[in-house]
């Protein structure tokens, strides 16, 4: 049976979501980044349903979502760097990887057996209200099949037709449109594991030099798999023309294509549109999606990270 779709602003819908989650079920909900497929992060059986529904490898950790900073630092150990970036960017599109606090109730499956936990305080007020009402951290990876394009509308989630998903809390189109920045602050030097709308430059302004995760590093956070965020069609990067059988995904009019991430060259607009436009172009008869170059600076680094993973060879 298809999941019900209700507004996240509806108190009765949130109350139903709380009941489902406390009973070990699955609820998808809107955040400012992408829609998440949620389960009680403290319940091993509930979290296992996420992995089964997505077809997600169990070595790939999940992010736990909480309503406020105090709750986050009750679950993970707060370093000075963690407190500095949390003060600046929480609530918001930033995930921190922290050493587990003593007695942390987050299930070991949620963190893929690691001694660290990935935690976020989402920027969307309705999402934080839901999390406060639940009273438990909620594990919520993007609500799409593993490796595929992330969802930025409730309709995208419904199209995945997940087994076991009971309710979708619709919050409209996601305003950020890219998954959160993931920053490991469990050691002496912060390490950027996944770029996002909170940029490396913004973080370094607060805490000094930040290391970058390298190809082949151990998977310690979501979004580190080489092939990810991929449509069924192949993705060809840095295109200067659109070939036969291809469709173009333009940026700032470089290809002259009708579908443009941002005609004005605004990376914020491009990030918000990326996943929705990849989904729209991924249709029968399309051999590949030709993507115009996107400048690497600032938010462009996060956009290009997602595009490179979408274009990577697939197993």
């Amino acid at each position: 049976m298809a999941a019900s779709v209700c507004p996240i602003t509806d108190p009765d819908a949130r109350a139903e979501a709380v009941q489902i989650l406390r009973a070990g079920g699955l609820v998808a909900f809107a955040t400012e980044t992408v829609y998440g497929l949620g389960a009680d992060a403290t319940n091993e059986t509930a979290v296992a349903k996420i992995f089964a529904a997505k077809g997600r490898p169990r070595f790939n950790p999940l992010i736990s979502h909480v309503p406020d900073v105090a709750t986050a630092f009750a679950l993970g150990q707060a370093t000075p760097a963690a407190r500095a970036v949390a003060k600046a960017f929480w609530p918001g599109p930033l995930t921190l990887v922290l050493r587990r606090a003593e007695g942390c109730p987050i299930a070991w499956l949620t963190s893929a057996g690691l001694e660290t936990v990935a935690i976020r305080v989402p920027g969307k007020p309705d999402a934080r209200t839901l999390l406060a009402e639940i009273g438990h951290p909620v594990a919520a990876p993007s609500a799409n099949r593993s490796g595929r394009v992330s969802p930025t509308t409730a309709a995208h989630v419904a199209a995945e037709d997940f087994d076991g998903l009971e309710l979708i809390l619709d919050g409209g189109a996601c305003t950020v449109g890219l998954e959160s920045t993931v920053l490991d602050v469990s050691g002496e030097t912060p390490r950027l594991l996944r770029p996002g709308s909170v940029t490396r430059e913004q973080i370094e302004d607060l805490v000094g030099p930040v290391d970058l995760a390298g190809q082949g590093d151990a998977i310690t956070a979501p979004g580190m798999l080489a092939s990810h965020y991929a449509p069924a069609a192949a993705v060809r990067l840095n295109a200067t023309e659109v070939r036969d059988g291809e469709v173009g995904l333009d940026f700032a009019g470089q290809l002259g294509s009708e579908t443009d991430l941002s005609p004005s060259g605004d990376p914020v607009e491009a990030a918000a549109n990326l996943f929705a436009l990849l989904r729209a172009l991924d249709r029968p008869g399309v051999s590949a999606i030709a993507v115009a170059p996107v400048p690497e600076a600032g938010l462009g680094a996060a956009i290009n990270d997602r595009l490179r993973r979408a274009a990577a060879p697939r197993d």
Side-chain angles (χ1 to χ4, degrees):
M1 186 173 67
S4 301
V5 181
C6 299
I8 196 172
T9 54
D10 182 351
D12 291 338
R14 291 200 309 272
E16 181 183 357
V18 168
Q19 290 183 331
I20 293 169
L21 289 164
R22 287 179 176 171
L26 299 180
V27 172
F29 63 98
T31 77
E32 77 280 19
T33 56
V34 298
Y35 276 69
L37 181 64
D40 181 350
T42 70
N43 182 331
E44 297 268 3
T45 302
V47 172
K49 293 178 182 178
I50 293 178
F51 285 93
K54 283 177 62 71
R56 183 184 179 98
R58 294 200 177 196
F59 59 77
N60 196 1
L62 305 178
I63 294 169
S64 295
H65 295 68
V66 297
D68 52 53
V69 175
T71 303
F73 289 149
L75 298 169
Q77 299 175 28
T79 61
R83 292 193 183 279
V85 292
K87 182 177 180 181
F89 301 117
W90 272 354
L94 173 71
T95 294
L96 296 182
V97 175
L98 307 163
R99 300 289 297 179
R100 278 180 175 263
E102 186 175 353
C104 173
I106 291 175
W108 287 100
L109 180 57
T110 306
S111 56
L114 301 172
E115 292 287 347
T116 54
V117 288
I119 301 176
R120 183 163 91 90
V121 181
K124 191 172 183 66
D126 294 317
R128 295 199 306 278
T129 298
L130 172 69
L131 294 167
E133 290 168 348
I134 294 165
H136 290 167
V138 173
S142 56
N144 56 281
R145 306 283 174 175
S146 185
R148 296 303 183 184
V149 180
S150 298
T152 55
T153 68
H156 293 162
V157 180
E160 297 290 337
D161 194 24
F162 288 115
D163 288 338
L165 176 61
E166 298 182 53
L167 179 64
I168 301 170
L169 292 176
D170 187 350
C174 298
T175 54
V176 173
L178 291 180
E179 296 84 358
S180 60
T181 302
V182 179
L183 184 70
D184 186 341
V185 285
S186 63
E188 292 186 7
T189 302
R191 188 162 163 259
L192 186 64
L193 303 183
R194 179 175 73 186
S197 62
V198 176
T199 67
R200 181 185 184 185
E201 293 85 350
Q202 289 175 302
I203 296 167
E204 290 186 329
D205 284 345
L206 288 174
V207 300
V210 171
D211 290 340
L212 293 178
Q215 188 173 6
D217 284 3
I219 304 297
T220 55
M224 295 181 69
L225 294 174
S227 178
H228 206 31
Y229 318 113
V235 175
R236 185 169 65 86
L237 302 181
N238 298 314
T240 57
E241 80 287 327
V242 179
R243 300 170 183 168
D244 288 345
E246 294 183 335
V247 292
L249 181 55
D250 215 341
F251 180 77
Q254 297 175 82
L255 298 176
S257 296
E258 181 179 343
T259 304
D260 198 317
L261 289 167
S262 174
S264 67
D266 178 3
V268 174
E269 180 183 24
N273 287 333
L274 176 62
F275 289 139
L277 293 183
L278 280 174
R279 283 176 173 267
L281 293 175
D282 190 23
R283 55 183 185 258
V286 173
S287 64
I289 301 171
V291 185
V294 177
E296 188 73 18
L299 183 53
I303 296 169
N304 285 319
D305 170 79
R306 304 310 193 271
L307 288 170
R308 282 191 289 268
R309 294 177 194 275
R314 305 170 194 181
D315 294 335

